[in-house]
Amino acid sequence: MDSHVGQASKSVPFVKSIFHPSDFFNASELAFAHSLAIALIRKTELVIMHVGRGQLDDWAQFPPARKTLERWQSLPAGSPRSAVFEKLAISVTKVVVFRSSGQRETRSA
């Protein structure tokens, strides 16, 4: 391998953010896990977005980033939300857009 290529890949992240559209179905869990893993490896931002009708009754419907990181033992069990960024240097943002009104709500995980 060319030494310049190896040096460049260590100093310049080729992935600056990951976007994961979620439909809240079990089939999207694997895609979420891959998205979170890439964000973890690259120390970057993960944006999870759901577009739906009406209101989102429970933000817990979003894939559980912190709980997944705890299950992977990247974070200790019971870690606060802030640990995702403070200990792992990644940020996770959850966005929901309501089709009927075009309203958007955002929460940091």
Side-chain angles (χ1 to χ4, degrees):
M1 177 165 85
D2 185 0
S3 64
H4 295 292
V5 174
Q7 290 172 353
S9 66
K10 291 180 184 176
S11 63
V12 179
F14 68 95
V15 176
K16 294 187 179 192
S17 65
I18 306 295
F19 177 74
H20 170 68
S22 180
D23 58 10
F24 299 154
F25 288 107
N26 291 340
S28 69
E29 286 182 24
L30 183 59
F32 162 72
H34 284 282
S35 299
L36 182 59
I38 293 168
L40 181 61
I41 291 166
R42 299 306 305 171
K43 307 274 188 229
T44 191
E45 174 186 31
L46 171 61
V47 177
I48 306 168
M49 182 177 193
H50 175 73
V51 177
R53 296 181 183 163
Q55 294 286 344
L56 179 67
D57 296 329
D58 186 3
W59 283 87
Q61 290 175 279
F62 273 90
R66 191 166 20 109
K67 294 292 182 195
T68 301
L69 292 165
E70 290 174 358
R71 192 173 66 245
W72 292 347
Q73 298 179 349
S74 297
L75 286 175
S79 293
R81 283 184 186 174
S82 60
V84 174
F85 183 75
E86 291 170 358
K87 295 189 183 286
L88 303 176
I90 64 172
S91 66
V92 179
T93 303
K94 298 175 180 181
V95 179
V96 63
V97 176
F98 304 111
R99 280 191 284 188
S100 57
S101 66
Q103 253 184 323
R104 181 179 74 177
E105 289 185 39
T106 304
R107 295 221 178 139
S108 295

XYZ file of all heavy atoms in Angstrom:
852
model
N 0.844 -1.181 0.000
C 0.000 0.000 0.000
C 0.880 1.231 0.000
O 1.877 1.313 0.712
C -0.909 -0.014 1.231
C -1.767 1.218 1.327
S -3.131 1.069 2.498
C -2.342 1.509 4.016
N 0.503 2.230 -0.781
C 1.214 3.487 -0.847
C 1.139 4.176 0.510
O 0.079 4.324 1.099
C 0.550 4.348 -1.933
C 1.296 5.656 -2.167
O 2.316 5.900 -1.489
O 0.847 6.422 -3.032
N 2.280 4.629 1.036
C 2.303 5.243 2.369
C 1.482 6.524 2.423
O 0.947 6.885 3.463
C 3.735 5.502 2.818
O 4.344 6.452 1.955
N 1.373 7.233 1.304
C 0.567 8.456 1.283
C -0.913 8.152 1.471
O -1.622 8.891 2.125
C 0.777 9.222 -0.040
C 2.175 9.720 -0.203
N 2.697 10.708 0.592
C 3.157 9.348 -1.055
C 3.943 10.938 0.237
N 4.245 10.114 -0.769
N -1.371 7.058 0.914
C -2.774 6.659 1.060
C -3.065 6.322 2.517
O -4.061 6.736 3.080
C -3.121 5.473 0.136
C -4.526 4.971 0.414
C -2.972 5.877 -1.321
N -2.184 5.559 3.152
C -2.361 5.197 4.555
C -2.394 6.414 5.459
O -3.204 6.512 6.364
N -1.505 7.384 5.208
C -1.469 8.607 6.016
C -2.733 9.433 5.813
O -3.284 9.962 6.755
C -0.244 9.441 5.658
C 1.060 8.820 6.102
C 2.262 9.563 5.570
O 2.135 10.482 4.755
N 3.443 9.172 6.012
N -3.193 9.546 4.592
C -4.380 10.343 4.305
C -5.607 9.758 4.975
O -6.439 10.490 5.505
C -4.602 10.448 2.795
N -5.746 8.435 4.972
C -6.932 7.827 5.560
C -6.956 7.992 7.076
O -8.012 7.976 7.683
C -7.037 6.358 5.178
O -5.974 5.626 5.758
N -5.794 8.167 7.719
C -5.747 8.372 9.162
C -6.048 9.810 9.543
O -6.575 10.077 10.607
C -4.385 7.967 9.705
C -4.134 6.483 9.650
C -2.773 6.149 10.190
C -2.500 4.666 10.037
N -1.161 4.305 10.449
N -5.714 10.765 8.692
C -5.847 12.166 9.061
C -7.106 12.842 8.529
O -7.552 13.820 9.092
C -4.620 12.943 8.607
O -4.524 12.905 7.191
N -7.670 12.349 7.446
C -8.833 12.997 6.843
C -9.999 12.012 6.825
O -9.943 11.008 6.126
C -8.532 13.464 5.403
C -9.749 14.115 4.782
C -7.338 14.394 5.374
N -11.040 12.306 7.609
C -12.181 11.374 7.579
C -12.902 11.462 6.242
O -13.246 12.544 5.789
C -13.064 11.860 8.722
C -12.697 13.283 8.920
C -11.259 13.423 8.502
N -13.095 10.325 5.600
C -13.797 10.345 4.320
C -15.303 10.346 4.525
O -16.051 10.608 3.605
C -13.362 9.177 3.425
C -13.780 7.822 3.923
C -14.940 7.229 3.467
C -13.012 7.144 4.840
C -15.332 5.977 3.918
C -13.399 5.897 5.304
C -14.553 5.316 4.845
N -15.761 10.091 5.735
C -17.177 10.157 6.063
C -17.344 11.208 7.152
O -16.767 11.076 8.229
C -17.703 8.789 6.568
C -19.148 8.897 7.002
C -17.531 7.724 5.506
N -18.091 12.256 6.863
C -18.270 13.326 7.850
C -19.580 13.196 8.609
O -19.704 13.697 9.710
C -18.169 14.681 7.170
C -16.785 14.929 6.631
C -16.633 16.316 6.127
C -15.212 16.491 5.620
N -14.874 17.845 5.366
N -20.556 12.548 8.016
C -21.821 12.305 8.711
C -22.530 11.137 8.037
O -22.291 10.836 6.879
C -22.712 13.547 8.711
O -23.117 13.870 7.404
N -23.412 10.512 8.823
C -24.191 9.372 8.341
C -25.659 9.761 8.455
O -26.089 10.296 9.477
C -23.958 8.122 9.226
C -22.474 7.786 9.352
C -24.769 6.937 8.720
C -21.820 7.378 8.067
N -26.428 9.465 7.420
C -27.876 9.723 7.431
C -28.597 8.388 7.372
O -28.351 7.585 6.470
C -28.267 10.594 6.234
C -29.742 10.833 6.131
C -30.376 11.707 7.002
C -30.497 10.184 5.181
C -31.744 11.927 6.917
C -31.860 10.397 5.079
C -32.479 11.272 5.956
N -29.469 8.147 8.351
C -30.233 6.896 8.386
C -31.727 7.212 8.399
O -32.240 7.717 9.393
C -29.870 6.074 9.623
C -30.777 4.895 9.837
N -30.796 3.817 8.985
C -31.704 4.646 10.783
C -31.701 2.947 9.417
N -32.255 3.430 10.507
N -32.427 6.947 7.297
C -33.886 7.096 7.311
C -34.503 5.886 8.013
O -34.109 4.750 7.753
C -34.265 7.138 5.827
C -33.156 6.413 5.133
C -31.922 6.586 5.978
N -35.425 6.126 8.928
C -36.017 5.026 9.691
C -37.522 4.985 9.478
O -38.192 6.011 9.491
C -35.727 5.208 11.185
O -36.305 4.159 11.913
N -38.041 3.771 9.302
C -39.487 3.609 9.183
C -40.076 2.936 10.422
O -41.248 2.618 10.473
C -39.846 2.820 7.923
C -39.203 1.442 7.879
O -38.629 1.010 8.899
O -39.268 0.804 6.825
N -39.233 2.722 11.439
C -39.622 2.118 12.708
C -40.029 0.656 12.586
O -40.621 0.095 13.489
C -40.730 2.898 13.410
C -40.367 4.307 13.770
C -41.347 5.261 13.887
C -39.065 4.680 14.015
C -41.042 6.560 14.244
C -38.742 5.986 14.362
C -39.736 6.933 14.472
N -39.710 0.006 11.478
C -39.986 -1.415 11.329
C -38.728 -2.212 11.666
O -37.609 -1.712 11.570
C -40.452 -1.742 9.905
C -41.834 -1.255 9.608
C -42.033 -0.167 8.776
C -42.947 -1.878 10.172
C -43.317 0.288 8.504
C -44.225 -1.422 9.907
C -44.412 -0.337 9.070
N -38.907 -3.452 12.066
C -37.777 -4.299 12.446
C -36.759 -4.456 11.333
O -35.574 -4.602 11.588
C -38.266 -5.672 12.904
C -39.001 -5.608 14.221
O -38.847 -4.648 14.980
N -39.800 -6.613 14.510
N -37.220 -4.416 10.095
C -36.316 -4.605 8.959
C -35.255 -3.509 8.880
O -34.174 -3.733 8.337
C -37.116 -4.656 7.664
N -35.521 -2.338 9.433
C -34.539 -1.253 9.351
C -33.514 -1.302 10.484
O -32.575 -0.522 10.500
C -35.237 0.113 9.333
O -35.821 0.386 10.592
N -33.665 -2.235 11.423
C -32.734 -2.321 12.555
C -31.312 -2.645 12.116
O -30.355 -2.107 12.673
C -33.225 -3.348 13.578
C -34.399 -2.855 14.377
C -34.855 -3.854 15.433
O -34.030 -4.691 15.866
O -36.026 -3.795 15.804
N -31.148 -3.528 11.140
C -29.812 -3.867 10.663
C -29.146 -2.651 10.013
O -27.966 -2.376 10.255
C -29.855 -5.041 9.689
C -28.509 -5.527 9.178
C -27.603 -5.971 10.329
C -28.705 -6.669 8.189
N -29.904 -1.916 9.213
C -29.353 -0.707 8.585
C -28.955 0.313 9.656
O -27.922 0.971 9.544
C -30.371 -0.104 7.624
N -29.774 0.435 10.717
C -29.436 1.330 11.821
C -28.129 0.890 12.478
O -27.240 1.705 12.742
C -30.558 1.369 12.857
C -30.101 1.902 14.180
C -29.823 3.249 14.334
C -29.935 1.051 15.260
C -29.373 3.742 15.552
C -29.488 1.539 16.483
C -29.207 2.889 16.627
N -27.978 -0.400 12.741
C -26.766 -0.909 13.383
C -25.531 -0.609 12.535
O -24.493 -0.199 13.057
C -26.896 -2.404 13.647
N -25.650 -0.780 11.226
C -24.524 -0.471 10.337
C -24.224 1.029 10.362
O -23.051 1.422 10.399
C -24.809 -0.937 8.903
C -24.668 -2.406 8.714
N -23.452 -3.046 8.591
C -25.606 -3.380 8.650
C -23.638 -4.342 8.447
N -24.941 -4.572 8.478
N -25.257 1.842 10.338
C -25.068 3.296 10.375
C -24.369 3.729 11.658
O -23.450 4.540 11.645
C -26.420 4.017 10.258
O -27.043 3.705 9.050
N -24.821 3.183 12.780
C -24.227 3.524 14.070
C -22.772 3.036 14.140
O -21.896 3.747 14.640
C -25.051 2.931 15.205
C -24.584 3.254 16.624
C -24.567 4.761 16.873
C -25.487 2.548 17.642
N -22.512 1.847 13.625
C -21.143 1.317 13.634
C -20.200 2.197 12.816
O -19.078 2.480 13.242
C -21.132 -0.114 13.110
N -20.647 2.644 11.655
C -19.804 3.524 10.832
C -19.558 4.842 11.562
O -18.429 5.342 11.598
C -20.448 3.774 9.452
C -20.471 2.477 8.641
C -19.698 4.863 8.690
C -21.339 2.540 7.403
N -20.598 5.412 12.169
C -20.436 6.651 12.927
C -19.446 6.454 14.072
O -18.612 7.328 14.345
C -21.785 7.131 13.455
N -19.511 5.321 14.733
C -18.618 5.018 15.849
C -17.171 4.884 15.368
O -16.254 5.465 15.949
C -19.077 3.737 16.549
C -18.275 3.274 17.754
C -18.304 4.309 18.863
C -18.824 1.946 18.260
N -16.966 4.147 14.302
C -15.612 3.941 13.769
C -15.012 5.254 13.269
O -13.845 5.542 13.513
C -15.634 2.888 12.643
C -15.930 1.508 13.227
C -14.320 2.873 11.860
C -16.299 0.460 12.197
N -15.819 6.057 12.582
C -15.322 7.296 11.982
C -15.409 8.498 12.921
O -14.979 9.585 12.573
C -16.075 7.606 10.682
C -15.944 6.546 9.601
C -14.527 6.178 9.247
N -13.744 7.346 8.858
C -12.434 7.339 8.656
N -11.758 6.239 8.799
N -11.804 8.434 8.315
N -16.002 8.312 14.124
C -16.149 9.410 15.095
C -16.854 10.600 14.446
O -16.342 11.710 14.383
C -14.785 9.852 15.634
C -13.953 8.744 16.187
C -14.288 8.501 17.620
C -13.314 7.512 18.216
N -13.958 6.453 18.929
N -18.059 10.341 13.970
C -18.777 11.347 13.202
C -20.219 11.475 13.688
O -20.612 10.882 14.679
C -18.702 10.998 11.697
O -19.185 12.096 10.937
C -19.482 9.747 11.368
N -21.005 12.220 12.975
C -22.402 12.474 13.314
C -23.308 11.431 12.656
O -23.094 11.044 11.511
C -22.790 13.862 12.812
C -24.246 14.197 12.982
C -24.616 15.514 12.344
O -24.003 15.908 11.334
O -25.558 16.145 12.857
N -24.332 11.006 13.408
C -25.370 10.128 12.864
C -26.701 10.864 12.985
O -27.074 11.286 14.076
C -25.445 8.812 13.632
C -26.629 7.885 13.299
C -26.609 7.464 11.837
C -26.629 6.678 14.215
N -27.381 11.046 11.861
C -28.704 11.666 11.845
C -29.712 10.589 11.479
O -29.593 9.960 10.428
C -28.783 12.833 10.837
C -30.190 13.409 10.795
C -27.764 13.912 11.170
N -30.672 10.369 12.381
C -31.734 9.383 12.143
C -33.002 10.176 11.863
O -33.399 11.027 12.663
C -31.953 8.485 13.372
C -30.633 7.839 13.801
C -33.006 7.425 13.073
C -30.691 7.186 15.161
N -33.650 9.910 10.728
C -34.831 10.692 10.343
C -36.018 9.781 10.064
O -35.876 8.750 9.430
C -34.544 11.531 9.112
C -35.686 12.396 8.691
S -35.190 13.383 7.276
C -36.511 14.537 7.222
N -37.160 10.206 10.568
C -38.419 9.512 10.288
C -39.409 10.526 9.737
O -39.565 11.614 10.283
C -38.984 8.891 11.564
C -40.340 8.268 11.361
N -40.496 7.082 10.664
C -41.576 8.670 11.737
C -41.798 6.792 10.622
N -42.454 7.730 11.271
N -40.035 10.179 8.635
C -41.098 11.011 8.066
C -42.397 10.253 8.271
O -42.506 9.081 7.897
C -40.878 11.292 6.562
C -42.042 12.089 5.988
C -39.560 12.019 6.350
N -43.363 10.882 8.904
C -44.614 10.197 9.194
C -45.803 11.121 9.161
O -45.677 12.316 8.930
N -46.949 10.542 9.404
C -48.197 11.307 9.453
C -48.538 11.599 10.899
O -48.215 10.829 11.795
C -49.322 10.503 8.836
C -49.104 10.234 7.385
C -50.259 9.444 6.826
N -49.959 9.137 5.431
C -50.564 8.227 4.741
N -51.502 7.504 5.281
N -50.243 8.014 3.491
N -49.220 12.700 11.120
C -49.703 13.019 12.460
C -48.583 13.343 13.413
O -47.584 13.931 13.040
N -48.728 12.933 14.664
C -47.772 13.228 15.715
C -46.960 11.989 16.069
O -47.436 10.861 15.954
C -48.513 13.713 16.977
C -49.208 15.034 16.802
C -48.246 16.197 16.775
O -47.090 16.087 17.164
N -48.713 17.327 16.290
N -45.757 12.209 16.539
C -44.943 11.133 17.078
C -45.235 11.066 18.566
O -44.938 11.994 19.304
C -43.454 11.400 16.834
C -42.493 10.351 17.375
C -42.662 9.040 16.618
C -41.067 10.832 17.257
N -45.864 9.991 19.001
C -46.269 9.873 20.396
C -45.110 9.571 21.328
O -45.124 9.943 22.486
C -47.336 8.780 20.550
C -48.614 9.123 19.800
O -48.913 10.323 19.677
O -49.274 8.186 19.329
N -44.098 8.886 20.839
C -43.045 8.427 21.718
C -41.713 8.423 20.978
O -41.531 7.676 20.022
C -43.386 7.013 22.207
C -42.420 6.496 23.236
O -41.504 7.242 23.642
O -42.578 5.335 23.637
N -40.767 9.240 21.435
C -39.453 9.293 20.802
C -38.714 7.968 20.955
O -37.748 7.697 20.262
C -38.631 10.446 21.374
C -39.051 11.761 20.813
C -40.048 12.565 21.282
C -38.524 12.413 19.661
N -40.164 13.674 20.482
C -39.244 13.619 19.491
C -37.518 12.102 18.759
C -38.980 14.503 18.460
C -37.247 12.999 17.727
C -37.971 14.171 17.578
N -39.179 7.113 21.864
C -38.549 5.809 22.060
C -38.765 4.896 20.853
O -38.152 3.832 20.758
C -39.071 5.148 23.327
N -39.648 5.291 19.930
C -39.832 4.501 18.708
C -38.579 4.533 17.839
O -38.364 3.648 17.032
C -41.019 5.029 17.897
C -42.348 4.772 18.557
C -43.461 5.416 17.758
O -43.703 6.618 17.875
N -44.102 4.628 16.936
N -37.758 5.586 18.004
C -36.516 5.671 17.244
C -35.571 4.556 17.678
O -35.615 4.112 18.826
C -35.830 7.023 17.484
C -36.291 8.107 16.575
C -37.351 8.909 16.931
C -35.656 8.337 15.366
C -37.781 9.918 16.092
C -36.074 9.345 14.521
C -37.139 10.138 14.881
N -34.692 4.112 16.791
C -33.703 3.103 17.191
C -32.893 3.612 18.385
O -32.514 4.775 18.420
C -32.827 2.951 15.951
C -33.660 3.439 14.818
C -34.553 4.502 15.396
N -32.619 2.763 19.368
C -31.956 3.194 20.604
C -30.427 3.232 20.479
O -29.748 2.239 20.756
C -32.404 2.133 21.610
C -32.588 0.900 20.773
C -33.077 1.388 19.435
N -29.883 4.365 20.106
C -28.440 4.475 19.892
C -27.646 4.179 21.166
O -26.725 3.358 21.154
C -28.092 5.863 19.366
N -27.986 4.843 22.251
C -27.221 4.666 23.488
C -27.307 3.233 24.003
O -26.309 2.637 24.408
C -27.705 5.662 24.544
C -26.826 5.753 25.747
C -27.139 6.977 26.592
N -28.455 7.527 26.362
C -29.469 7.468 27.224
N -29.310 6.894 28.394
N -30.643 7.993 26.938
N -28.508 2.674 23.987
C -28.681 1.286 24.447
C -27.905 0.313 23.554
O -27.344 -0.672 24.035
C -30.162 0.898 24.483
C -30.953 1.662 25.501
C -30.538 1.288 26.897
C -31.390 2.025 27.904
N -30.840 1.990 29.249
N -27.863 0.592 22.262
C -27.101 -0.266 21.350
C -25.610 -0.164 21.664
O -24.908 -1.174 21.710
C -27.377 0.127 19.887
O -28.782 0.007 19.631
C -26.610 -0.755 18.914
N -25.124 1.037 21.909
C -23.714 1.219 22.258
C -23.381 0.536 23.582
O -22.288 -0.007 23.751
C -23.381 2.712 22.318
C -23.417 3.420 20.959
C -23.433 4.935 21.147
C -22.258 2.989 20.084
N -24.331 0.528 24.510
C -24.132 -0.190 25.772
C -24.087 -1.700 25.524
O -23.249 -2.395 26.087
C -25.240 0.160 26.766
C -25.153 1.575 27.292
C -26.332 1.969 28.163
O -27.275 1.157 28.356
O -26.335 3.107 28.666
N -24.975 -2.191 24.664
C -25.004 -3.617 24.352
C -23.698 -4.052 23.676
O -23.198 -5.147 23.912
C -26.213 -3.932 23.466
C -26.488 -5.414 23.316
C -27.773 -5.719 22.572
N -27.717 -5.291 21.184
C -28.474 -4.336 20.645
N -29.379 -3.704 21.366
N -28.360 -4.012 19.379
N -23.132 -3.165 22.848
C -21.857 -3.445 22.192
C -20.678 -3.251 23.149
O -19.543 -3.442 22.773
C -21.662 -2.533 20.990
C -22.584 -2.769 19.845
C -23.413 -3.832 19.633
C -22.768 -1.897 18.726
N -24.099 -3.670 18.450
C -23.719 -2.490 17.873
C -22.231 -0.673 18.355
C -24.135 -1.910 16.680
C -22.640 -0.086 17.173
C -23.579 -0.703 16.336
N -20.946 -2.820 24.356
C -19.943 -2.528 25.383
C -19.008 -1.390 24.985
O -17.857 -1.319 25.419
C -19.162 -3.787 25.758
C -20.065 -4.852 26.338
C -19.337 -6.124 26.712
O -18.178 -6.322 26.371
N -20.028 -6.989 27.430
N -19.516 -0.484 24.153
C -18.786 0.741 23.829
C -19.006 1.780 24.916
O -18.196 2.696 25.071
C -19.246 1.296 22.483
O -18.943 0.384 21.453
N -20.109 1.651 25.635
C -20.442 2.499 26.781
C -20.846 1.604 27.942
O -21.431 0.543 27.723
C -21.630 3.419 26.463
C -21.414 4.600 25.550
C -22.746 5.294 25.272
C -20.421 5.575 26.136
N -20.581 2.048 29.176
C -21.063 1.278 30.333
C -22.588 1.355 30.430
O -23.191 2.348 30.025
C -20.417 1.963 31.533
C -19.478 2.984 31.008
C -19.749 3.176 29.558
N -23.196 0.329 30.966
C -24.652 0.313 31.151
C -25.078 1.502 32.005
O -24.385 1.887 32.948
C -25.076 -0.987 31.822
N -26.204 2.104 31.641
C -26.743 3.232 32.387
C -26.053 4.553 32.102
O -26.220 5.510 32.855
N -25.304 4.633 31.023
C -24.606 5.878 30.680
C -25.589 6.992 30.366
O -26.653 6.743 29.787
C -23.705 5.669 29.458
O -22.651 4.795 29.750
N -25.245 8.228 30.711
C -26.109 9.359 30.362
C -26.005 9.671 28.865
O -25.053 9.249 28.199
C -25.544 10.514 31.189
C -24.108 10.159 31.383
C -24.073 8.649 31.465
N -26.962 10.422 28.341
C -26.934 10.810 26.919
C -25.618 11.466 26.540
O -25.094 11.246 25.459
C -28.060 11.799 26.617
C -29.398 11.200 26.484
C -30.377 12.273 26.081
N -31.712 11.740 26.089
C -32.781 12.463 25.896
N -32.680 13.753 25.703
N -33.959 11.907 25.907
N -25.106 12.300 27.429
C -23.885 13.052 27.133
C -22.677 12.151 26.874
O -21.735 12.550 26.197
C -23.575 14.017 28.276
O -23.396 13.295 29.491
N -22.692 10.929 27.377
C -21.557 10.019 27.219
C -21.328 9.637 25.761
O -20.193 9.343 25.365
C -21.756 8.764 28.062
N -22.374 9.641 24.961
C -22.228 9.262 23.548
C -21.211 10.180 22.881
O -20.310 9.725 22.182
C -23.586 9.302 22.815
C -23.412 9.048 21.326
C -24.546 8.292 23.426
N -21.317 11.478 23.140
C -20.367 12.412 22.551
C -19.093 12.519 23.379
O -17.986 12.462 22.848
C -20.986 13.799 22.381
C -20.056 14.768 21.708
C -19.825 14.690 20.351
C -19.385 15.721 22.449
C -18.941 15.556 19.731
C -18.506 16.595 21.838
C -18.277 16.517 20.473
N -19.248 12.643 24.701
C -18.084 12.867 25.558
C -17.108 11.704 25.564
O -15.901 11.900 25.593
C -18.535 13.178 26.984
C -19.227 14.517 27.100
C -19.898 14.735 28.443
O -19.871 13.828 29.304
O -20.479 15.824 28.630
N -17.602 10.486 25.549
C -16.720 9.318 25.615
C -16.380 8.733 24.243
O -15.326 8.149 24.060
C -17.336 8.233 26.495
C -17.458 8.652 27.950
C -17.865 7.488 28.808
C -18.059 7.889 30.234
N -16.872 8.140 30.985
N -17.296 8.883 23.270
C -17.103 8.229 21.975
C -16.880 9.203 20.817
O -16.589 8.783 19.706
C -18.302 7.330 21.660
C -18.598 6.249 22.699
C -19.860 5.492 22.330
C -17.415 5.301 22.845
N -17.078 10.486 21.068
C -16.867 11.534 20.053
C -17.784 11.387 18.839
O -17.399 11.689 17.720
C -15.407 11.585 19.623
N -19.004 10.896 19.074
C -20.001 10.878 18.004
C -21.240 11.622 18.497
O -21.489 11.699 19.697
C -20.381 9.456 17.546
C -21.052 8.662 18.664
C -19.177 8.718 17.016
C -21.620 7.323 18.204
N -21.976 12.182 17.570
C -23.246 12.805 17.942
C -24.365 12.092 17.209
O -24.193 11.667 16.062
C -23.249 14.301 17.620
O -23.180 14.513 16.233
N -25.470 11.926 17.898
C -26.638 11.278 17.317
C -27.799 12.252 17.412
O -28.118 12.740 18.494
C -26.986 9.961 18.046
C -28.222 9.319 17.431
C -25.803 8.996 18.013
N -28.416 12.544 16.275
C -29.557 13.448 16.225
C -30.731 12.701 15.633
O -30.584 12.008 14.619
C -29.244 14.691 15.369
O -28.084 15.333 15.905
C -30.405 15.657 15.353
N -31.883 12.831 16.282
C -33.112 12.195 15.796
C -34.043 13.286 15.298
O -34.307 14.249 16.003
C -33.766 11.390 16.918
C -32.871 10.264 17.414
C -33.444 9.532 18.594
C -32.516 8.417 19.045
N -33.066 7.673 20.182
N -34.530 13.128 14.065
C -35.385 14.125 13.423
C -36.659 13.445 12.967
O -36.618 12.354 12.401
C -34.678 14.757 12.199
C -35.581 15.770 11.514
C -33.357 15.380 12.593
N -37.794 14.100 13.205
C -39.059 13.605 12.676
C -39.700 14.738 11.884
O -39.669 15.897 12.294
C -40.002 13.076 13.791
C -40.399 14.169 14.755
C -41.226 12.418 13.206
N -40.227 14.399 10.709
C -40.939 15.366 9.866
C -42.341 14.828 9.677
O -42.531 13.669 9.308
C -40.239 15.562 8.505
C -41.054 16.497 7.618
C -38.829 16.080 8.689
N -43.331 15.674 9.943
C -44.726 15.276 9.787
C -45.179 15.675 8.398
O -45.178 16.849 8.044
C -45.579 15.944 10.866
C -45.093 15.658 12.257
C -44.531 16.658 13.026
C -45.177 14.379 12.789
C -44.063 16.389 14.299
C -44.720 14.105 14.055
C -44.158 15.114 14.813
N -45.565 14.686 7.599
C -45.947 14.935 6.202
C -47.125 15.885 6.084
O -47.163 16.726 5.205
C -46.282 13.632 5.492
C -45.072 12.888 5.051
C -45.452 11.792 4.143
N -46.032 10.701 4.930
C -46.341 9.527 4.454
N -46.172 9.281 3.175
N -46.827 8.602 5.212
N -48.099 15.758 6.965
C -49.314 16.554 6.827
C -49.048 18.048 7.020
O -49.620 18.872 6.332
C -50.380 16.086 7.819
O -49.873 16.158 9.141
N -48.149 18.407 7.930
C -47.920 19.820 8.218
C -46.551 20.308 7.782
O -46.323 21.516 7.730
C -48.066 20.066 9.723
O -47.038 19.388 10.420
N -45.636 19.397 7.511
C -44.275 19.789 7.176
C -43.474 20.214 8.399
O -42.332 20.641 8.275
N -44.074 20.105 9.594
C -43.387 20.446 10.828
C -42.243 19.492 11.080
O -42.311 18.313 10.733
C -44.342 20.331 12.017
C -44.775 21.628 12.571
C -45.628 21.374 13.813
O -46.395 20.426 13.877
N -45.485 22.237 14.788
N -41.201 19.999 11.739
C -40.054 19.158 12.051
C -39.697 19.313 13.521
O -39.743 20.407 14.065
C -38.863 19.577 11.197
C -37.628 18.732 11.440
C -36.503 19.151 10.581
N -35.964 20.397 11.100
C -34.929 21.006 10.599
N -34.332 20.544 9.547
N -34.489 22.135 11.125
N -39.374 18.202 14.178
C -38.872 18.206 15.543
C -37.561 17.487 15.555
O -37.353 16.513 14.836
C -39.855 17.482 16.488
C -41.137 18.240 16.738
C -41.988 17.533 17.765
O -41.454 16.990 18.746
O -43.217 17.534 17.574
N -36.641 17.973 16.380
C -35.309 17.387 16.467
C -34.950 17.162 17.924
O -35.240 17.998 18.766
C -34.276 18.336 15.837
O -34.659 18.630 14.506
C -32.891 17.729 15.829
N -34.290 16.042 18.200
C -33.769 15.740 19.535
C -32.393 15.131 19.403
O -32.150 14.338 18.507
C -34.669 14.747 20.266
C -36.017 15.296 20.552
C -36.483 14.913 21.921
N -37.778 15.537 22.143
C -38.784 14.945 22.722
N -38.654 13.720 23.152
N -39.914 15.569 22.907
N -31.530 15.490 20.312
C -30.211 14.845 20.386
C -30.339 13.624 21.265
O -31.012 13.666 22.290
C -29.166 15.796 20.953
O -28.976 16.859 20.083
N -29.712 12.559 20.848
C -29.825 11.306 21.595
C -28.822 11.242 22.716
O -27.787 11.792 22.681
C -29.634 10.130 20.656
